[in-house]
Structure formats: C-alpha cells, structure tokens
Amino acid sequence: MVLKLRGAYKEYIWGGDKLITEFGKSWRGSTLAESWELSFHPDGVSIVDGGVYDGMSIDKVAFRNMWGANALRFSTFPMLIKLIDSRQDLSVQVHPNDEFALANEGQNGKTEMWHILSAEADAKIYLGLKQTLTPRQFDERIANNTVLDCLNDVPVKAGQTYFIPSGTIHAIGAGVTLLEIQQNSSVTYRVYDYNRRDAQGNARPLHIDKAKQVVNLNKYEVKDSAQGSLLGKCKYFSCYLYCGSRNITNFGSFGSVTVVDGSIQINGVNFLKGQTAFIPAGEQAQVTGSGKYTYSCVE
C-alpha cells in the first residue's frame, strides 16, 4: 500500500512563507521553515494522511519488512526528506560523520543533498571553503566573526543540485526554497549565526568545539551534482528527478516520491505540489500525470 504523508512542521527564526503559499502546507503561523516530509526521526515523525492508517505516525506503519534489503543494512531508517524555505540566511554550520556522531551524540552523522526548487534574485548558498585553512586560521576566523568570508558563496537557481558530505561547512542563504535529502539525523554544529536573537531575545547556541573536530578544512570544489535524472547518490540515499508517467517497483528498497511541481496520481491517488508518498519495497506504484517529482531510495 502506497502511503500519502503529512510532514512534521518546524518553525525557526529564518523561515519564510513559501511552504504555506506555494506548497500547500497547513500551518497555524504565517511562516514555516521546514516540513519533514519523510521522517522516522523522533524529533519529528511524518504522519499518514488518508486511508486506513490515517493519522498514524509512519514509524508505527512502515515496519522494517517494508524497507527492503538495501535499507536493512542500517540499524535505523537511513534517510530523512525535508522541504526548506529560508526567508533569512541559515546559520553557518557543519555536520559530523557517523563515527563522531554515534560516539558523541548517540545518533548518525549527516551527509545531505540540496535540490533547489526556487531562488529569488541574487539568492545564494554557502558551501565549503574557498581555500584550505589551517586549524589556527580557522580558529582566528571564528574568533573575529569572519568565517563567512572564507566560504564559497554560490549563486543558485531552480533546478540545481548540490551534494554535501559530512564535515563540509555550509549555509542556505536567504530567498532559497529547496528539497533536502539527508541521513536520518538531527545533529548540527553551529559555527556562526550573525549574532541573531530568538523571539525571547536569546542568542542561539553555537557548538564551536565540536565543529572544530569535524570540519573539513580543505578547499572545496563546488559543482552541480546532477547527472541526467540522477540528482545525487551515496550509500544512505539516491535521488532521481522525473516528470510524467512512470511505473515504479523497487524490490531492494522502499521508495519515496515528492511532487515538486504540478500534480501526479500514484495508483489513482492525487498528489499535489509539496506532497510526499512512501512506497514499500516491492510495491507496484503507477505514476500518471504531467507533474515533476523526485524519487528517493537506497541503492
């Protein structure tokens, strides 16, 4: 049975309104930063929307026997899919690898991928270092609040895709809406947050000591990771971009479809822009319609 999902919503100080106005998310406020579209993570679990399991959390419905052999290589569900809308710049941050995260945080590290859905004029992301730094140079940049000057600032537009291995320092810039495919993890080490304050007037915490231990200080070569329909691939996830009708049956892995433009039907059920499906391993899913959508799995 193909499951339509309702995301777990997250509001942060940098969120915009596009997930509400353009992606149809029902939210009590006027801004919404993230929708965790496919999530087994305890910080925000996706909910089944409609059908016999309506209102149940995905982790209570999609058991391990539905994940497929490729995903069963992992002790926990391997991926997390988000829609993200940034009205302001996100913090400059870095994520650890599995070894460090498991030892220090009790969960997996975080490698991720961004597929740009829309970008305002002059919008950009920050991705990796322009030049290799020594640990001392990195310390100095953090101390004098100039770490942003060391990063590649990359103008972005809809359709581009960027793969971000763990250890890569990065930030989403203002005016960017994107789909993020990532490891199933919430571990983030903030390095710089523009001296912002939250609604209560408090500075958000930084995680400098841990960030220094995991950051890759080598020069980073920025490139669009997409190769044809394949947007990005690693051992934790693969993501493809398709348009129009397609039959999907994957015996080795579950699949997840997120509509990024227009609408489609999956086995006769309507999916609008911003809606996501979970497809159990081995399940036949017939996609019809002319919409554009991503398909994510473990290969």
Side-chain angles (χ1 to χ4, degrees), residues 19-51:
L19 297 186
I20 301 168
T21 61
E22 297 182 17
F23 288 83
K25 302 303 179 183
S26 250
W27 175 242
R28 61 179 181 268
S30 59
T31 61
L32 178 62
E34 298 182 353
S35 175
W36 294 17
E37 292 291 296
L38 174 62
S39 173
F40 285 68
H41 198 281
D43 288 350
V45 183
S46 305
I47 305 297
V48 178
D49 186 10

Side-chain angles (χ1 to χ4, degrees), residues 178-247:
L178 58 82
L179 180 75
E180 177 175 291
I181 318 291
Q182 59 159 89
Q183 282 183 260
N184 184 11
S185 172
S186 63
V187 181
T188 295
Y189 299 147
R190 293 194 197 99
V191 176
Y192 177 66
D193 196 41
Y194 317 97
N195 299 312
R196 286 186 294 206
R197 304 280 169 170
D198 64 18
Q200 288 71 45
N202 301 312
R204 295 200 298 170
L206 302 179
H207 315 92
I208 302 300
D209 290 342
K210 287 182 176 178
K212 289 178 181 179
Q213 296 179 67
V214 303
V215 67
N216 183 347
L217 294 178
N218 295 315
K219 179 180 178 181
Y220 186 85
E221 299 292 341
V222 179
K223 61 181 181 180
D224 189 327
S225 68
Q227 299 180 21
S229 61
L230 176 63
L231 299 182
K233 181 177 181 178
C234 63
K235 67 179 181 179
Y236 309 103
F237 56 80
S238 297
C239 184
Y240 297 83
L241 182 66
Y242 297 131
C243 186
S245 298
R246 175 174 295 268
N247 291 325

Side-chain angles (χ1 to χ4, degrees), residues 12-148:
Y12 305 119
I13 60 175
W14 45 263
D17 64 358
K18 291 185 176 63
L19 297 186
I20 301 168
T21 61
E22 297 182 17
F23 288 83
K25 302 303 179 183
S26 250
W27 175 242
R28 61 179 181 268
S30 59
T31 61
L32 178 62
E34 298 182 353
S35 175
W36 294 17
E37 292 291 296
L38 174 62
S39 173
F40 285 68
H41 198 281
D43 288 350
V45 183
S46 305
I47 305 297
V48 178
D49 186 10
V52 296
Y53 299 115
D54 182 50
M56 296 181 64
S57 59
I58 184 69
D59 58 334
K60 299 297 190 297
V61 175
F63 299 109
R64 287 179 64 87
N65 64 349
M66 300 166 69
W67 296 5
N70 297 346
L72 289 176
R73 299 193 303 256
F74 305 97
S75 60
T76 59
F77 193 77
M79 77 170 69
L80 197 163
I81 300 175
K82 299 177 180 177
L83 290 168
I84 298 176
D85 177 36
S86 59
R87 180 175 52 89
Q88 301 176 22
D89 292 339
L90 275 69
S91 61
V92 177
Q93 57 192 244
V94 64
H95 308 298
N97 61 20
D98 286 346
E99 182 180 9
F100 188 93
L102 288 168
N104 292 273
E105 310 294 347
Q107 58 176 307
N108 292 319
K110 184 176 172 185
T111 286
E112 62 191 297
M113 186 201 83
W114 294 341
H115 179 62
I116 310 298
L117 300 177
S118 68
E120 298 176 3
D122 301 323
K124 58 188 175 182
I125 60 173
Y126 299 94
L127 187 53
L129 295 172
K130 295 178 183 177
Q131 299 294 334
T132 297
L133 297 180
T134 65
R136 181 176 178 178
Q137 289 172 326
F138 188 62
D139 289 349
E140 291 171 349
R141 290 292 188 171
I142 291 174
N144 60 24
N145 289 328
T146 59
V147 68
L148 203 63

